[in-house]
Short mmCIF file of all heavy atoms in Angstrom, two decimals:
data_model
loop_
_atom_site.label_atom_id
_atom_site.label_comp_id
_atom_site.label_asym_id
_atom_site.label_seq_id
_atom_site.Cartn_x
_atom_site.Cartn_y
_atom_site.Cartn_z
N GLY A 7 115.10 85.12 91.55
CA GLY A 7 114.38 85.40 92.75
C GLY A 7 114.07 86.88 92.89
O GLY A 7 114.60 87.71 92.16
N SER A 8 113.20 87.15 93.78
CA SER A 8 112.78 88.53 93.99
C SER A 8 112.76 88.81 95.49
O SER A 8 112.12 88.09 96.25
CB SER A 8 111.38 88.73 93.41
OG SER A 8 110.93 90.02 93.66
N ASN A 9 113.47 89.83 95.90
CA ASN A 9 113.49 90.26 97.28
C ASN A 9 112.93 91.67 97.37
O ASN A 9 113.06 92.46 96.42
CB ASN A 9 114.90 90.25 97.84
CG ASN A 9 115.50 88.87 97.86
OD1 ASN A 9 114.83 87.94 98.28
ND2 ASN A 9 116.73 88.72 97.43
N SER A 10 112.32 91.98 98.48
CA SER A 10 111.72 93.30 98.68
C SER A 10 112.26 93.90 99.98
O SER A 10 112.35 93.21 101.00
CB SER A 10 110.20 93.17 98.74
OG SER A 10 109.59 94.40 98.94
N PHE A 11 112.64 95.18 99.92
CA PHE A 11 113.16 95.89 101.08
C PHE A 11 112.45 97.23 101.18
O PHE A 11 112.24 97.91 100.18
CB PHE A 11 114.68 96.12 100.93
CG PHE A 11 115.47 94.85 100.82
CD1 PHE A 11 115.75 94.30 99.60
CD2 PHE A 11 115.94 94.21 101.95
CE1 PHE A 11 116.47 93.12 99.47
CE2 PHE A 11 116.66 93.04 101.86
CZ PHE A 11 116.93 92.49 100.60
N ASP A 12 112.07 97.60 102.39
CA ASP A 12 111.43 98.89 102.62
C ASP A 12 112.51 99.96 102.80
O ASP A 12 113.44 99.79 103.58
CB ASP A 12 110.53 98.86 103.85
CG ASP A 12 109.31 97.96 103.66
OD1 ASP A 12 108.79 97.91 102.51
OD2 ASP A 12 108.88 97.32 104.63
N LEU A 13 112.33 101.04 102.07
CA LEU A 13 113.27 102.17 102.13
C LEU A 13 112.53 103.45 102.49
O LEU A 13 111.30 103.54 102.33
CB LEU A 13 113.94 102.38 100.76
CG LEU A 13 114.65 101.20 100.13
CD1 LEU A 13 115.07 101.53 98.70
CD2 LEU A 13 115.84 100.78 100.94
N TYR A 14 113.25 104.42 102.98
CA TYR A 14 112.70 105.75 103.16
C TYR A 14 113.66 106.74 102.51
O TYR A 14 114.82 106.44 102.28
CB TYR A 14 112.48 106.09 104.63
CG TYR A 14 113.74 106.26 105.45
CD1 TYR A 14 114.30 107.52 105.63
CD2 TYR A 14 114.38 105.18 106.04
CE1 TYR A 14 115.46 107.69 106.37
CE2 TYR A 14 115.54 105.33 106.77
CZ TYR A 14 116.08 106.58 106.93
OH TYR A 14 117.23 106.74 107.65
N THR A 15 113.14 107.88 102.16
CA THR A 15 113.99 108.91 101.53
C THR A 15 114.31 110.02 102.51
O THR A 15 113.54 110.33 103.41
CB THR A 15 113.33 109.51 100.29
OG1 THR A 15 112.08 110.09 100.66
CG2 THR A 15 113.09 108.44 99.21
N GLN A 16 115.49 110.58 102.32
CA GLN A 16 115.94 111.73 103.08
C GLN A 16 116.82 112.54 102.14
O GLN A 16 117.81 112.02 101.62
CB GLN A 16 116.68 111.31 104.31
CG GLN A 16 117.12 112.48 105.19
CD GLN A 16 117.80 111.99 106.47
OE1 GLN A 16 118.01 110.81 106.68
NE2 GLN A 16 118.13 112.92 107.33
N ALA A 17 116.44 113.80 101.90
CA ALA A 17 117.13 114.66 100.93
C ALA A 17 117.15 113.92 99.58
O ALA A 17 116.09 113.54 99.10
CB ALA A 17 118.52 115.05 101.44
N ASP A 18 118.33 113.65 99.03
CA ASP A 18 118.37 113.00 97.72
C ASP A 18 118.82 111.55 97.82
O ASP A 18 119.25 110.94 96.84
CB ASP A 18 119.30 113.75 96.76
CG ASP A 18 120.74 113.79 97.26
OD1 ASP A 18 121.01 113.38 98.39
OD2 ASP A 18 121.62 114.21 96.48
N GLY A 19 118.66 110.92 98.99
CA GLY A 19 119.07 109.52 99.18
C GLY A 19 117.92 108.64 99.63
O GLY A 19 116.88 109.12 100.07
N ALA A 20 118.12 107.34 99.50
CA ALA A 20 117.16 106.36 99.98
C ALA A 20 117.90 105.42 100.94
O ALA A 20 119.03 105.02 100.68
CB ALA A 20 116.57 105.58 98.84
N TRP A 21 117.26 105.08 102.04
CA TRP A 21 117.90 104.32 103.11
C TRP A 21 116.99 103.19 103.56
O TRP A 21 115.78 103.29 103.51
CB TRP A 21 118.14 105.26 104.31
CG TRP A 21 118.89 106.50 103.90
CD1 TRP A 21 118.34 107.68 103.57
CD2 TRP A 21 120.29 106.63 103.72
NE1 TRP A 21 119.33 108.57 103.21
CE2 TRP A 21 120.55 107.95 103.30
CE3 TRP A 21 121.37 105.77 103.91
CZ2 TRP A 21 121.83 108.42 103.03
CZ3 TRP A 21 122.65 106.25 103.65
CH2 TRP A 21 122.87 107.56 103.22
N LEU A 22 117.61 102.08 104.00
CA LEU A 22 116.83 100.95 104.51
C LEU A 22 116.08 101.32 105.78
O LEU A 22 116.66 101.95 106.66
CB LEU A 22 117.76 99.77 104.83
CG LEU A 22 118.30 98.95 103.68
CD1 LEU A 22 119.41 98.02 104.17
CD2 LEU A 22 117.18 98.15 103.03
N MET A 23 114.84 100.93 105.87
CA MET A 23 114.05 101.15 107.09
C MET A 23 114.64 100.30 108.22
O MET A 23 114.68 100.74 109.36
CB MET A 23 112.59 100.78 106.87
CG MET A 23 111.83 101.68 105.91
SD MET A 23 111.50 103.29 106.60
CE MET A 23 110.15 102.94 107.67
N ASP A 24 115.08 99.09 107.89
CA ASP A 24 115.64 98.17 108.88
C ASP A 24 117.12 97.94 108.54
O ASP A 24 117.44 97.17 107.64
CB ASP A 24 114.88 96.85 108.85
CG ASP A 24 115.43 95.81 109.83
OD1 ASP A 24 116.42 96.10 110.54
OD2 ASP A 24 114.87 94.71 109.87
N ILE A 25 118.01 98.65 109.22
CA ILE A 25 119.44 98.56 108.95
C ILE A 25 119.94 97.13 109.13
O ILE A 25 120.95 96.75 108.55
CB ILE A 25 120.24 99.56 109.80
CG1 ILE A 25 121.67 99.69 109.27
CG2 ILE A 25 120.24 99.15 111.26
CD1 ILE A 25 121.78 100.29 107.91
N GLY A 26 119.23 96.32 109.88
CA GLY A 26 119.59 94.92 110.06
C GLY A 26 119.52 94.11 108.75
O GLY A 26 120.03 92.99 108.70
N GLN A 27 118.88 94.66 107.74
CA GLN A 27 118.77 93.99 106.44
C GLN A 27 119.88 94.41 105.48
O GLN A 27 119.86 94.00 104.32
CB GLN A 27 117.41 94.29 105.81
CG GLN A 27 116.26 93.65 106.52
CD GLN A 27 114.96 93.85 105.76
OE1 GLN A 27 114.73 94.85 105.09
NE2 GLN A 27 114.08 92.87 105.86
N ALA A 28 120.85 95.17 105.95
CA ALA A 28 121.89 95.71 105.06
C ALA A 28 122.65 94.62 104.34
O ALA A 28 122.89 94.73 103.12
CB ALA A 28 122.86 96.60 105.85
N GLU A 29 123.05 93.55 105.03
CA GLU A 29 123.78 92.47 104.37
C GLU A 29 122.92 91.76 103.34
O GLU A 29 123.41 91.44 102.26
CB GLU A 29 124.30 91.46 105.41
CG GLU A 29 125.48 91.98 106.19
CD GLU A 29 126.72 92.26 105.33
OE1 GLU A 29 127.01 91.49 104.39
OE2 GLU A 29 127.38 93.29 105.59
N ASN A 30 121.65 91.50 103.67
CA ASN A 30 120.73 90.89 102.70
C ASN A 30 120.53 91.77 101.49
O ASN A 30 120.47 91.30 100.37
CB ASN A 30 119.39 90.55 103.35
CG ASN A 30 119.49 89.42 104.34
OD1 ASN A 30 120.38 88.59 104.27
ND2 ASN A 30 118.56 89.38 105.28
N PHE A 31 120.40 93.07 101.73
CA PHE A 31 120.20 94.02 100.65
C PHE A 31 121.42 94.02 99.72
O PHE A 31 121.31 93.92 98.51
CB PHE A 31 119.95 95.41 101.23
CG PHE A 31 119.65 96.48 100.23
CD1 PHE A 31 118.48 96.46 99.49
CD2 PHE A 31 120.55 97.52 99.99
CE1 PHE A 31 118.18 97.45 98.57
CE2 PHE A 31 120.27 98.50 99.08
CZ PHE A 31 119.08 98.47 98.37
N ALA A 32 122.62 94.12 100.32
CA ALA A 32 123.86 94.13 99.53
C ALA A 32 124.02 92.80 98.76
O ALA A 32 124.38 92.81 97.59
CB ALA A 32 125.06 94.36 100.42
N GLY A 33 123.69 91.69 99.40
CA GLY A 33 123.78 90.39 98.71
C GLY A 33 122.80 90.30 97.56
O GLY A 33 123.11 89.74 96.52
N SER A 34 121.62 90.84 97.73
CA SER A 34 120.62 90.84 96.65
C SER A 34 121.08 91.68 95.48
O SER A 34 120.86 91.33 94.32
CB SER A 34 119.27 91.37 97.19
OG SER A 34 118.74 90.48 98.13
N ILE A 35 121.74 92.79 95.77
CA ILE A 35 122.26 93.64 94.69
C ILE A 35 123.34 92.90 93.93
O ILE A 35 123.38 92.88 92.70
CB ILE A 35 122.77 94.99 95.24
CG1 ILE A 35 121.57 95.84 95.66
CG2 ILE A 35 123.65 95.71 94.23
CD1 ILE A 35 121.95 97.14 96.34
N ARG A 36 124.26 92.23 94.66
CA ARG A 36 125.33 91.49 94.00
C ARG A 36 124.79 90.32 93.18
O ARG A 36 125.33 90.01 92.12
CB ARG A 36 126.34 90.98 95.03
CG ARG A 36 127.23 92.06 95.62
CD ARG A 36 128.35 91.48 96.46
NE ARG A 36 127.86 90.70 97.60
CZ ARG A 36 127.60 91.20 98.79
NH1 ARG A 36 127.79 92.50 99.03
NH2 ARG A 36 127.16 90.43 99.77
N ALA A 37 123.73 89.68 93.66
CA ALA A 37 123.19 88.51 92.96
C ALA A 37 122.19 88.85 91.87
O ALA A 37 121.90 88.03 91.01
CB ALA A 37 122.53 87.59 94.00
N GLY A 38 121.66 90.05 91.91
CA GLY A 38 120.58 90.40 90.99
C GLY A 38 121.06 90.97 89.68
O GLY A 38 122.23 91.26 89.46
N SER A 39 120.13 91.08 88.74
CA SER A 39 120.41 91.68 87.43
C SER A 39 119.79 93.04 87.27
O SER A 39 120.22 93.85 86.45
CB SER A 39 119.97 90.77 86.31
OG SER A 39 118.55 90.53 86.39
N SER A 40 118.74 93.33 88.10
CA SER A 40 118.12 94.64 88.04
C SER A 40 117.54 94.98 89.40
O SER A 40 117.29 94.10 90.23
CB SER A 40 117.02 94.70 86.98
OG SER A 40 115.97 93.81 87.30
N LEU A 41 117.35 96.27 89.62
CA LEU A 41 116.80 96.79 90.86
C LEU A 41 115.61 97.67 90.48
O LEU A 41 115.75 98.56 89.66
CB LEU A 41 117.84 97.61 91.60
CG LEU A 41 117.40 98.40 92.85
CD1 LEU A 41 117.07 97.45 93.98
CD2 LEU A 41 118.50 99.35 93.27
N VAL A 42 114.46 97.36 91.07
CA VAL A 42 113.23 98.16 90.78
C VAL A 42 112.90 98.94 92.04
O VAL A 42 112.74 98.36 93.12
CB VAL A 42 112.07 97.26 90.36
CG1 VAL A 42 110.82 98.11 90.11
CG2 VAL A 42 112.43 96.43 89.14
N ILE A 43 112.80 100.25 91.90
CA ILE A 43 112.40 101.12 93.00
C ILE A 43 110.99 101.61 92.73
O ILE A 43 110.71 102.14 91.64
CB ILE A 43 113.36 102.34 93.13
CG1 ILE A 43 114.78 101.90 93.35
CG2 ILE A 43 112.86 103.29 94.22
CD1 ILE A 43 115.07 101.30 94.71
N GLU A 44 110.10 101.41 93.68
CA GLU A 44 108.71 101.87 93.54
C GLU A 44 108.40 102.82 94.68
O GLU A 44 108.79 102.57 95.82
CB GLU A 44 107.75 100.68 93.60
CG GLU A 44 107.94 99.68 92.51
CD GLU A 44 106.95 98.53 92.59
OE1 GLU A 44 105.87 98.70 93.16
OE2 GLU A 44 107.28 97.43 92.09
N GLY A 45 107.72 103.87 94.37
CA GLY A 45 107.34 104.84 95.42
C GLY A 45 106.29 105.80 94.89
O GLY A 45 105.71 105.58 93.82
N SER A 46 106.06 106.84 95.63
CA SER A 46 105.11 107.86 95.20
C SER A 46 105.61 109.23 95.63
O SER A 46 106.33 109.37 96.62
CB SER A 46 103.72 107.60 95.78
OG SER A 46 103.78 107.59 97.18
N THR A 47 105.24 110.21 94.84
CA THR A 47 105.64 111.58 95.12
C THR A 47 104.72 112.16 96.21
O THR A 47 103.72 111.54 96.58
CB THR A 47 105.51 112.47 93.86
OG1 THR A 47 104.12 112.58 93.52
CG2 THR A 47 106.28 111.88 92.69
N ASP A 48 105.07 113.35 96.69
CA ASP A 48 104.21 114.02 97.66
C ASP A 48 102.81 114.26 97.08
O ASP A 48 101.84 114.34 97.83
CB ASP A 48 104.82 115.36 98.09
CG ASP A 48 106.05 115.15 98.96
OD1 ASP A 48 106.19 114.07 99.59
OD2 ASP A 48 106.88 116.09 99.02
N ALA A 49 102.72 114.35 95.76
CA ALA A 49 101.42 114.59 95.10
C ALA A 49 100.67 113.29 94.86
O ALA A 49 99.58 113.31 94.30
CB ALA A 49 101.65 115.32 93.78
N GLY A 50 101.23 112.15 95.28
CA GLY A 50 100.55 110.88 95.13
C GLY A 50 100.76 110.20 93.79
O GLY A 50 100.11 109.20 93.49
N ILE A 51 101.69 110.70 93.00
CA ILE A 51 101.97 110.10 91.68
C ILE A 51 102.88 108.90 91.90
O ILE A 51 103.94 109.01 92.52
CB ILE A 51 102.62 111.11 90.75
CG1 ILE A 51 101.68 112.29 90.51
CG2 ILE A 51 103.03 110.46 89.43
CD1 ILE A 51 102.34 113.47 89.84
N ARG A 52 102.49 107.74 91.37
CA ARG A 52 103.26 106.51 91.49
C ARG A 52 104.47 106.60 90.56
O ARG A 52 104.36 106.96 89.41
CB ARG A 52 102.44 105.30 91.16
CG ARG A 52 103.17 104.00 91.34
CD ARG A 52 102.21 102.81 91.26
NE ARG A 52 102.92 101.56 91.50
CZ ARG A 52 103.27 100.71 90.56
NH1 ARG A 52 102.94 100.93 89.29
NH2 ARG A 52 103.93 99.60 90.86
N VAL A 53 105.64 106.24 91.10
CA VAL A 53 106.88 106.27 90.35
C VAL A 53 107.53 104.89 90.42
O VAL A 53 107.64 104.32 91.50
CB VAL A 53 107.87 107.33 90.91
CG1 VAL A 53 109.18 107.32 90.16
CG2 VAL A 53 107.23 108.71 90.89
N VAL A 54 107.94 104.36 89.28
CA VAL A 54 108.66 103.08 89.22
C VAL A 54 109.89 103.29 88.36
O VAL A 54 109.79 103.77 87.24
CB VAL A 54 107.79 101.95 88.63
CG1 VAL A 54 108.57 100.66 88.53
CG2 VAL A 54 106.51 101.77 89.41
N GLN A 55 111.07 102.98 88.91
CA GLN A 55 112.32 103.11 88.17
C GLN A 55 113.06 101.78 88.24
O GLN A 55 113.12 101.14 89.31
CB GLN A 55 113.20 104.22 88.72
CG GLN A 55 112.61 105.60 88.51
CD GLN A 55 113.53 106.68 88.98
OE1 GLN A 55 113.97 106.67 90.11
NE2 GLN A 55 113.83 107.63 88.10
N THR A 56 113.64 101.36 87.11
CA THR A 56 114.41 100.13 87.05
C THR A 56 115.85 100.47 86.70
O THR A 56 116.12 101.25 85.80
CB THR A 56 113.81 99.18 85.99
OG1 THR A 56 112.44 98.94 86.31
CG2 THR A 56 114.58 97.86 85.92
N PHE A 57 116.78 99.86 87.45
CA PHE A 57 118.20 100.09 87.27
C PHE A 57 118.91 98.76 87.00
O PHE A 57 118.62 97.76 87.65
CB PHE A 57 118.81 100.72 88.53
CG PHE A 57 118.19 102.03 88.91
CD1 PHE A 57 117.12 102.06 89.78
CD2 PHE A 57 118.67 103.22 88.40
CE1 PHE A 57 116.54 103.27 90.13
CE2 PHE A 57 118.10 104.41 88.74
CZ PHE A 57 117.03 104.46 89.62
N SER A 58 119.84 98.75 86.08
CA SER A 58 120.65 97.58 85.82
C SER A 58 121.67 97.43 86.94
O SER A 58 122.23 98.40 87.43
CB SER A 58 121.41 97.75 84.48
OG SER A 58 122.38 96.72 84.34
N LEU A 59 121.91 96.19 87.35
CA LEU A 59 122.90 95.91 88.36
C LEU A 59 124.19 95.32 87.75
O LEU A 59 125.04 94.81 88.46
CB LEU A 59 122.36 94.97 89.43
CG LEU A 59 121.21 95.58 90.24
CD1 LEU A 59 120.63 94.53 91.20
CD2 LEU A 59 121.66 96.81 91.00
N SER A 60 124.32 95.42 86.45
CA SER A 60 125.51 94.94 85.77
C SER A 60 126.72 95.68 86.32
O SER A 60 126.76 96.89 86.38
CB SER A 60 125.38 95.21 84.26
OG SER A 60 126.56 94.82 83.61
N GLY A 61 127.71 94.93 86.77
CA GLY A 61 128.92 95.51 87.32
C GLY A 61 128.87 95.78 88.82
O GLY A 61 129.86 96.23 89.39
N ALA A 62 127.76 95.48 89.49
CA ALA A 62 127.62 95.77 90.91
C ALA A 62 128.61 94.96 91.75
O ALA A 62 129.20 95.49 92.69
CB ALA A 62 126.19 95.51 91.39
N THR A 63 128.82 93.70 91.38
CA THR A 63 129.75 92.87 92.14
C THR A 63 131.19 93.38 92.00
O THR A 63 131.93 93.51 92.99
CB THR A 63 129.67 91.40 91.72
OG1 THR A 63 128.34 90.94 91.97
CG2 THR A 63 130.64 90.55 92.47
N ALA A 64 131.57 93.74 90.77
CA ALA A 64 132.92 94.28 90.54
C ALA A 64 133.09 95.58 91.29
O ALA A 64 134.17 95.83 91.87
CB ALA A 64 133.15 94.48 89.05
N ALA A 65 132.09 96.41 91.33
CA ALA A 65 132.17 97.69 92.06
C ALA A 65 132.34 97.43 93.54
O ALA A 65 133.15 98.09 94.22
CB ALA A 65 130.91 98.52 91.79
N GLN A 66 131.61 96.46 94.10
CA GLN A 66 131.74 96.14 95.50
C GLN A 66 133.13 95.62 95.83
O GLN A 66 133.71 96.01 96.85
CB GLN A 66 130.69 95.11 95.94
CG GLN A 66 130.72 94.80 97.42
CD GLN A 66 130.36 95.98 98.28
OE1 GLN A 66 129.31 96.58 98.11
NE2 GLN A 66 131.20 96.37 99.21
N HIS A 67 133.68 94.80 94.96
CA HIS A 67 135.05 94.32 95.18
C HIS A 67 136.06 95.47 95.15
O HIS A 67 137.00 95.50 95.94
CB HIS A 67 135.43 93.25 94.15
CG HIS A 67 134.73 91.94 94.35
ND1 HIS A 67 134.74 91.22 95.53
CD2 HIS A 67 133.96 91.22 93.50
CE1 HIS A 67 134.04 90.12 95.39
NE2 HIS A 67 133.54 90.09 94.17
N ALA A 68 135.86 96.44 94.26
CA ALA A 68 136.76 97.58 94.17
C ALA A 68 136.65 98.43 95.43
O ALA A 68 137.67 98.90 95.97
CB ALA A 68 136.42 98.42 92.92
N ILE A 69 135.44 98.61 95.94
CA ILE A 69 135.25 99.36 97.18
C ILE A 69 135.93 98.65 98.34
O ILE A 69 136.63 99.25 99.12
CB ILE A 69 133.74 99.58 97.47
CG1 ILE A 69 133.15 100.52 96.42
CG2 ILE A 69 133.51 100.08 98.89
CD1 ILE A 69 131.63 100.54 96.41
N ASP A 70 135.68 97.33 98.43
CA ASP A 70 136.29 96.53 99.53
C ASP A 70 137.82 96.61 99.46
O ASP A 70 138.47 96.70 100.48
CB ASP A 70 135.83 95.09 99.47
CG ASP A 70 134.35 94.93 99.83
OD1 ASP A 70 133.76 95.86 100.41
OD2 ASP A 70 133.80 93.85 99.52
N GLY A 71 138.37 96.57 98.26
CA GLY A 71 139.81 96.60 98.09
C GLY A 71 140.42 97.93 98.45
O GLY A 71 141.60 98.03 98.81
N ALA A 72 139.63 98.99 98.33
CA ALA A 72 140.15 100.33 98.60
C ALA A 72 140.07 100.69 100.07
O ALA A 72 140.70 101.66 100.50
CB ALA A 72 139.34 101.36 97.77
N CYS A 73 139.32 99.94 100.86
CA CYS A 73 139.15 100.25 102.28
C CYS A 73 140.13 99.53 103.16
O CYS A 73 140.54 98.46 102.96
CB CYS A 73 137.73 99.92 102.72
SG CYS A 73 136.50 100.96 101.92
#
């Protein structure tokens, strides 16, 4: 499946436009195999980056266990 979430950038981070989608976003990361970020620079250059989500579920469990 493919899910899409709108993000905005601030400094060196990216944040959900709708914080109400946080659980869906986290679930999509745990269920997915890759994450594609699409955006554009201030100069209008299109940027597409793909990240592997291998290990994302284990990382979330480790975070949950530490809190």
Side-chain angles (χ1 to χ4, degrees):
S8 177
N9 296 315
S10 180
F11 300 91
D12 292 326
L13 305 172
Y14 69 94
T15 59
Q16 183 177 4
D18 63 350
W21 308 94
L22 283 169
M23 292 288 283
D24 178 0
I25 194 65
Q27 291 187 328
E29 286 297 321
N30 289 336
F31 184 68
S34 293
I35 288 175
R36 287 189 299 271
S39 60
S40 64
L41 172 70
V42 179
I43 302 290
E44 298 180 25
S46 59
T47 67
D48 289 337
I51 299 168
R52 183 169 182 256
V53 178
V54 178
Q55 293 184 306
T56 302
F57 301 91
S58 170
L59 295 175
S60 176
T63 299
Q66 183 65 54
H67 289 305
I69 292 166
D70 291 345
C73 294

